[in-house]
Every structure is written in structure tokens, then in C-alpha cells.
């Protein structure tokens, strides 16, 4: 046999493996014998030890620790219940000596037993018996008050008893063996003396808050100095709970009665305690957070009630700014203190900023009232909507507080939030200060211009978009305010339109910002056109004609608008829709507006990349013709539409001959629609039979021709017209039949239809797909 190892090494390896196999076999045989013996015994002991061997272990000896704890707890509870029943029920049957002897004996036995139990390694039992001893000492204190000191005030006695018991239990827990339960009980008892004393003496909320805060300070000191976990954990928990209660009392007092130094002092002391705890414990940044919030609340508590809520918020935001400056990176404060103070500052500045922005939004919305009195030359100040100059101060302070807080807020969020607050504060400040109209509009235009410059120069897309959105919102709001006077309207619209046009032309800006500038420039141009028409005394319909100058200018500029051409054309289309809305009340002018809009679309369709506008141009031209015919009282539109349709169809036929791949919609759609749609409208209001009959025959012929030559436009337009004519002719009979049927029949028929469709849903989907594919194959 070939082997890669020398014979001596291979022999040693085989011997080692055989020894391991022998050892494993011996263990398995021993385990098997023990299991067989256990099964054959009539009553095996639950704790019978298993043979110890390498690689295995026998069953656990004795009850599980959880079961042991349950048994010990139940035993201690039963003894405690017995002791309590004895004290409350059987106490009066004994004399004074017997009472003292019984309590002393029980207490001494319960206190001494844990030492013996610890010596034997029974710690769980010792803890349970120690708990019984603690209860007995509490009963001793109760019995002493009930028998020995019956005249003592119960509250005062309870406070002193809690202090004494806390000291005794602390000494008992620190004795050799260091039991955990007495230490925890001592910490719990130490929370009672000062609060009970405050309640007993009739102290007010502030005095109770000081008692709670003093107890929390003692707990924090104990937790910082103690080495045992059984003391540190409950002490920290008690310090947090009592300190939070004390700060809540101080905050409630400061909000209920502002301007008091008592609440401010309590909150300031809580702030110092929180910072001190955070300096001592590296993981206690939450204490610094609570301390920072308490410090801000202390500053706000100093604001008198008559100063108004606006200045109270401003003072609190100013205090938050101070916290953020104190916790800056250049300070020597520990990390937990810095983190807690930073979070506290942001936690105060952010709600203050949101409240200020909400007030600014209300003030901005109040300017919508100008729309009801355009060019009325009234004061623009929205009285009753704003709390006063404190709002602007609050927003500016919030901007300073939120700036540079990238470690607390998301990346980029701090700069955006600060910019929004600063811009809003500066925007609303002139109105709050009651400046003249010209000064208000000038200052707000300057703020809008500054936001626009930031949007154009910012390299971060999020910052650019946020600044651009703010500039757009400010521009629209200033425009509303400018509608109050003629000169202000033209001045503001002109300045904003020119600024937006310059922004759209600035090549270094983000593409969305340039597109937004182009949209706003077109919108301000349209608004200026409306204002000029109104200044000339034109009615609303003719103002629509004036608005069409803006789409015409956009079409004329064409490719020179790149790369903002698409948003500019979209805004131009919106201005065209505005023109139609303005002219809707006068049909002849509406026909003129539709025709001019069609001319604009036709001009755009002259460019190779805007051929799709030809369909819009044709539709607008047809609509203009319909409106004009209706305004002229024409009852036979076919006499006017048939020549147009014949000419359009001839043009479409020539186009199909030159370009066989052209769509039937582009070639024949406008010509067919020019006659079918007006004729269908006239047929629906015509009570005679010749027009529906002729229109139906023409629609049937078109449908058959479209199916024969595989042309989509004749097929669909003819089929839709034929169905509409048939429905018009059957409508009276359907109404009559519906009136004759019982009322339960239509719902029943609808339910049957839904069941039929639902049961063949998949087949209907396949049929729909086939129909769509068949239509897609048509030209």
C-alpha cells in the first residue's frame, strides 16, 4: 500500500486514532448501562447522578434554579403574610413584653439566618429570608408607632421611619455576604423622606419639586459613588424618575404662571444636575439632554405673562441657540454633555421654527384677500394674523440654531432648515414692523432675489431646489400683495419676470432650477399681459386674446429657449388654457381665441421636432369653427363643415400617397372629425329623422371602409358615431322600457352581468388584448 507519510509517523497516527475510538466506545458503553439500569428500576430517584465521562454529562442534580426561586419566593411570601396577620390580628392578645419579645425574636432570627445560609452556599434562600427580615423591620416600625408613639403625626413618623430603615437596610446589605435585596430596598426607602416631609408640611408644587430634585441629586451621587450594581441600577432609575417629576412640576408652574423666579430656579437646578450627571457618566447623554431642555425652560420661565407668547417662544429659541454654541466642537465639554446639549438645542429650535413657519404661512395666505379688491390701493398689512415682531426674531434665532447641525439633523437638512427659517423671518419682518407699502414690497423682493441667487449658485441639488422653491413661493406672495395697486402690479411683475428670465438663462444653475425660472417667467409675462389689457379697459374675454401673445412669443423663440424649452412651452400651453377660460363667456371672442391658439400650434408644428402640434392645431381650428357656427345661430353645420372635410380629406389622401406609412389619424382624422362631431351634436338635438339617418349611413360607410382598408381613424370615428346615433334613436324606447319594468329588474340585470363578466374574466382579458393588438395593426 502506497502512503505519503513515513511508516513511523503513520503508525503513531493510527495508534492515536485507535485510543480515541476506545475512549469513545467506553463512554458509550457506560452510558448505555446507566440508562438500562435507570429504566429497569421501579422508582428511580429524580436526582440520580449520571456517570461522569469525557464528552458527556449526567442529568441535572436537584431542582432547576427557576423552580428553586419560585419555591423560595412562595415560602417568603407565606411567612410575610403570616407575620402581617399576626401583627394586625393577634397583636392585641399579647402583653407589651410578649409583643416586644415576639417581634424581637422574629426579627433577630430573620436577620441572622442569612449569614448561616450564606455560609452553606444557599444564596437564593438567604435572599428570601433577608426579604422576610426587611418586612419584619417595617412591621416593627409600624408597631412602634401604633403602640409606643401613638400621638406622633403619621406623616412625620413615616418620613423619619423611612430614613432610619434606609440606613439600617443599607448597613445590613453591606454586611459580610453583601446581600442584594437589602441594598435595593434601602435605595427604595431613601426616596421617601424628603417628599413625605414636603407633603406633611403642606408645601406647594414648587417646594415638592425641590424635595424631589434634592432626592434625585442624592440618588445620582449614590449611583456615581457606589460600586455595587445592586445599588447603582436602582439609584440611577430613581434619580431619573424623581428628577423628571421635579422638572415636570417646574415646567407646569412656569407655563401656568410665567415670569416667576421660583420655577426658573427649580428648572435651572435640574439643568445643572443633568449636566453634572452626564459629565460623570459617559453613557448618560440623556441626562445632558434633559438638563439642556430644563435650562431652556428656565429661561422661558423668566418671561412675564404680559409679554405674550411670541416673545416667550423667542426667548426659548434664543436659549437653545446658546446651548448649541456652548456645545460646539471647540468646547472642552465631554462627549456625552456635548451630544445631549446639541440634541436639546435642536429639540427646542425645531418646534420653534415650525411654529414660526406656520404663522408665516397663515400671514401669506391672508394676502389672498387682495383678489377680491384688485387695485383697491389698501394697506397690505394683514392685521390680526401675526403675533408681532417676535415672530421674525424667533425665525432668525432658529435659523442660527439649526445652521451647521449636520451631526443632529440629516446631511444637508440643517442648511436647508436654516435657510428656510432665515428667509421666512426676513420676508415677514417688514410687514411685522409696519413699514410703508413700497418698503415692504422692496424688502420682500430683495429677499426673493437673494433666495434666487442661492438657488442659482448652489452646487448641492437639494439646497438649490429648496432655495428655488422658497424664491418661487415668495415671488407669488409678493405678486398677490402687488395686486393692490396698479403701479405696484406692473413694477413687481416686471421685476420678477425679468429676474426669472435671467435665472432661466443662467448656465451654471441646476437644470430644474432653470426650468422653474422659465415657467415663472412665462407666467409673469401672461399676468402682465392680462394687467395691460385690464388697464386698457378690455373685458375679460379680450384679455384672453392679449394673453395669447405669450404663447406666440414662446413659439417664435423656438430652439433659442434650449435647454428650458420644454418647461417654457408647457407654461405657454397653460397660458393658452387661461386665455380660453377668460374668453369662455363670449362665444365669438372664444372662437377667435381658439383660432389664434391653433395658429400658434401650427407655427410650432413647422419645426421637425414638434410635428405633434399639428394635431392640436387642427383640433383647435375645428373647435373654433364649431364655436363660431354656434355663435352665429347656424342650425345646419354640415353646409360649412363638409367643404372643410372634403378639402382636409383630399390633403390627407395626397399625404398618404407620398408617405404610405403615415397614420390614418394624421391623414384623415381632422377631416372626418370636422363633419362627424358637429353633425352628431346637431343630431342629438334634432327631433327629425333625416339627419340621424344620413349621419348613421355615412358613419356605417366609414366603418366598413375603415375595416376594408385597415384604417384606424375611419373605423373608430365611424363606429363611435354610428353607436351614438343608434343610442340617440333608441333612447326614448329605452326610457319607456325602463319605466315599465319593475324597479328590481335593473339591479338584477346588473348583477347578472357582473357575474357573467366575472366568471369569464380571463377570457374577457384575452379578448381585450386581441382587440388591442388588432387595432394596433391598423394604420
Amino acid at each position: 500500500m502506497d502512503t505519503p507519510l513515513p511508516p513511523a509517523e503513520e503508525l503513531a497516527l493510527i495508534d492515536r486514532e485507535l485510543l480515541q475510538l476506545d475512549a469513545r466506545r467506553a463512554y458509550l458503553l457506560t452510558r448505555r448501562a446507566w440508562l438500562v439500569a435507570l429504566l429497569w428500576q421501579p422508582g428511580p430517584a429524580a436526582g440520580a447522578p449520571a456517570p461522569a465521562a469525557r464528552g458527556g454529562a449526567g442529568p441535572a442534580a436537584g431542582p432547576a434554579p427557576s423552580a428553586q426561586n419560585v419555591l423560595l419566593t412562595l415560602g417568603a411570601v407565606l411567612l410575610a403574610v403570616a407575620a402581617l396577620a399576626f401583627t394586625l390580628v393577634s397583636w392585641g392578645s399579647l402583653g407589651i413584653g410578649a409583643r416586644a419579645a415576639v417581634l424581637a425574636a422574629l426579627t433577630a432570627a430573620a436577620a441572622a439566618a442569612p449569614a448561616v445560609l450564606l455560609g452553606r452556599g444557599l444564596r437564593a434562600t438567604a435572599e428570601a429570608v433577608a426579604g422576610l427580615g426587611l418586612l419584619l423591620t417595617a412591621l416593627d416600625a409600624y408597631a412602634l408607632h401604633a403602640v409606643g408613639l401613638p400621638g406622633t403625626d403619621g406623616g412625620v413618623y413615616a418620613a423619619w421611619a423611612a430614613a432610619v430603615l434606609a440606613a439600617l437596610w443599607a448597613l445590613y446589605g453591606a454586611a459580610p455576604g453583601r446581600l442584594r435585596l437589602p441594598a435595593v430596598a434601602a435605595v427604595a426607602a431613601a426616596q421617601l423622606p424628603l417628599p413625605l416631609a414636603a407633603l406633611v408640611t403642606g408645601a406647594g408644587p414648587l417646594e415638592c419639586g425641590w424635595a424631589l430634585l434634592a432626592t434625585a441629586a442624592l440618588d445620582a451621587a449614590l449611583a456615581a459613588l457606589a460600586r455595587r450594581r445592586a445599588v447603582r441600577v436602582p439609584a440611577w432609575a430613581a434619580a431619573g424618575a424623581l428628577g423628571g417629576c421635579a422638572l415636570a412640576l417646574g415646567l407646569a408652574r412656569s407655563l401656568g404662571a410665567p415670569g416667576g423666579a421660583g420655577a426658573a430656579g427649580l428648572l435651572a437646578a435640574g439643568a445643572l444636575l443633568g449636566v453634572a450627571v452626564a459629565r460623570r457618566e459617559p453613557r448618560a447623554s440623556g441626562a445632558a439632554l434633559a438638563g439642556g431642555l430644563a435650562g431652556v425652560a428656565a429661561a422661558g420661565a423668566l418671561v412675564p405673562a404680559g409679554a405674550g407668547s411670541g416673545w416667550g417662544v423667542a426667548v426659548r429659541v434664543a436659549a437653545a441657540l446658546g446651548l448649541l454654541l456652548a456645545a460646539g466642537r471647540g468646547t472642552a465639554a465631554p462627549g456625552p454633555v456635548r451630544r445631549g446639549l446639541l440634541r436639546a438645542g435642536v429639540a427646542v429650535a425645531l418646534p420653534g421654527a415650525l411654529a414660526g413657519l406656520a404663522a408665516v404661512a397663515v400671514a401669506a395666505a391672508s394676502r389672498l384677500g387682495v383678489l377680491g379688491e384688485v387695485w383697491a390701493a389698501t394697506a397690505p398689512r394683514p392685521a390680526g394674523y401675526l403675533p408681532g415682531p417676535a415672530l421674525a426674531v424667533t425665525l432668525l434665532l432658529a435659523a442660527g440654531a439649526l445652521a451647521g447641525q449636520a451631526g443632529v439633523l440629516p446631511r444637508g437638512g440643517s442648511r436647508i432648515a436654516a435657510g428656510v427659517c432665515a428667509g421666512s423671518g426676513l420676508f415677514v419682518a417688514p410687514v411685522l414692523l409696519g413699514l410703508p407699502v413700497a418698503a415692504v414690497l422692496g424688502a420682500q423682493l430683495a429677499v426673493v432675489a437673494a433666495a434666487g441667487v442661492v438657488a442659482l449658485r448652489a452646487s448641492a441639488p437639494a439646497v438649490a431646489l429648496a432655495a428655488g422653491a422658497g424664491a418661487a413661493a415668495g415671488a407669488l406672495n409678493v405678486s398677490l400683495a402687488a395686486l393692490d395697486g396698479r403701479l405696484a402690479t406692473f413694477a413687481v411683475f416686471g421685476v420678477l419676470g425679468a429676474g426669472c428670465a435671467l435665472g432661466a438663462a443662467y448656465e451654471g444653475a441646476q437644470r430644474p432650477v432653470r426650468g422653474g425660472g422659465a415657467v415663472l417667467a412665462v407666467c409673469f409675462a401672461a399676468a402682465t399681459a392680462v394687467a395691460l389689457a385690464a388697464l386698457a379697459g378690455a373685458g375679460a374675454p379680450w384679455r384672453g386674446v392679449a394673453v395669447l401673445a405669450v404663447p406666440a412669443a414662446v413659439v417664435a423663440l423656438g430652439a433659442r429657449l434650449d435647454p428650458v424649452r420644454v418647461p417654457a412651452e408647457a407654461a405657454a400651453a397653460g397660458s393658452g388654457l387661461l386665455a380660453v377660460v377668460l374668453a369662455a363667456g363670449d362665444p365669438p371672442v372664444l372662437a377667435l381665441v381658439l383660432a389664434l391658439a391653433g395658429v400658434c400650434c401650427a407655427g410650432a408644428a413647422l419645426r421637425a421636432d414638434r410635428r405633434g402640434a399639428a394635431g392640436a392645431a387642427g383640433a383647435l381650428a375645428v373647435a373654433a369653427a364649431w364655436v363660431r357656427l354656434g355663435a352665429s345661430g347656424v342650425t345646419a353645420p354640415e353646409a360649412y363643415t363638409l367643404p372643410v372635410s372634403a378639402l382636409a380629406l383630399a390633403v390627407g389622401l395626397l399625404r398618404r400617397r407620398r408617405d404610405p406609412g403615415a397614420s390614418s389619424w394624421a391623414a384623415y382624422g381632422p377631416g372626418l372629425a370636422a363633419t362627424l362631431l358637429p353633425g352628431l351634436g346637431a343630431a342629438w338635438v334634432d327631433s327629425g329623422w333625416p339627419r340621424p339617418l344620413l349621419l348613421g349611413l355615412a358613419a356605417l360607410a366609414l366603418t366598413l371602409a375603415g375595416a376594408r382598408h385597415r384604417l384606424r381613424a375611419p373605423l373608430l370615428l365611424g363606429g363611435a358615431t354610428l353607436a351614438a346615433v343608434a343610442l340617440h334613436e333608441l333612447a326614448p324606447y329605452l326610457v319607456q322600457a325602463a319605466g315599465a319594468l319593475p324597479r328590481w329588474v335593473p339591479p338584477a340585470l346588473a348583477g347578472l352581468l357582473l357575474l357573467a363578466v366575472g366568471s369569464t374574466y380571463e377570457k374577457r382579458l384575452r379578448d381585450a388584448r386581441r382587440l388591442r393588438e388588432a387595432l394596433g395593426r391598423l394604420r
Side-chain angles (χ1 to χ4, degrees), residues 710-740:
R710 303 178 60 82
L711 298 176
R712 189 183 305 175
L715 176 63
L716 295 181
L717 287 176
T721 304
L722 182 61
V725 171
L727 180 62
H728 172 264
E729 295 303 312
L730 293 176
Y733 304 101
L734 294 176
V735 172
Q736 183 179 1

Side-chain angles (χ1 to χ4, degrees), residues 712-771:
R712 189 183 305 175
L715 176 63
L716 295 181
L717 287 176
T721 304
L722 182 61
V725 171
L727 180 62
H728 172 264
E729 295 303 312
L730 293 176
Y733 304 101
L734 294 176
V735 172
Q736 183 179 1
L741 290 175
R743 294 189 176 182
W744 59 268
V745 173
L749 293 177
L752 291 174
L753 177 62
L754 291 177
L755 289 176
V757 173
S759 61
T760 59
Y761 181 71
E762 295 296 334
K763 187 175 185 299
R764 300 285 81 80
L765 284 180
R766 290 194 295 271
D767 294 341
R769 294 191 188 99
R770 294 192 190 100
L771 178 61

Side-chain angles (χ1 to χ4, degrees), residues 338-454:
R338 290 183 60 253
R339 289 192 297 271
L341 293 181
L342 287 175
R343 292 168 183 168
V346 173
V348 173
L350 210 53
L354 293 177
L357 293 175
V360 171
V362 172
S366 69
R367 281 182 166 174
L368 291 173
V370 178
L371 296 176
E373 48 181 18
V374 176
W375 291 353
T378 57
R381 180 181 176 87
Y385 286 94
L386 300 178
L391 174 60
V393 176
T394 299
L395 288 172
L396 294 177
L397 290 172
L402 297 176
Q405 299 304 322
V408 181
L409 298 175
R411 176 176 294 181
S414 61
R415 288 186 293 170
I416 294 174
V420 170
C421 291
S424 300
L426 294 174
F427 187 84
V428 79
V431 181
L432 298 176
L433 295 175
L435 299 180
V437 177
V440 169
L441 295 179
Q444 291 185 339
L445 284 175
V447 174
V448 171
V453 171
V454 172

Side-chain angles (χ1 to χ4, degrees), residues 496-530:
L496 291 176
C500 293
L502 291 176
Y506 185 68
E507 296 181 355
Q510 301 283 341
R511 192 181 186 91
V513 175
R514 297 184 63 185
V519 170
L520 288 177
V522 173
C523 291
F524 281 118
T528 304
V530 173

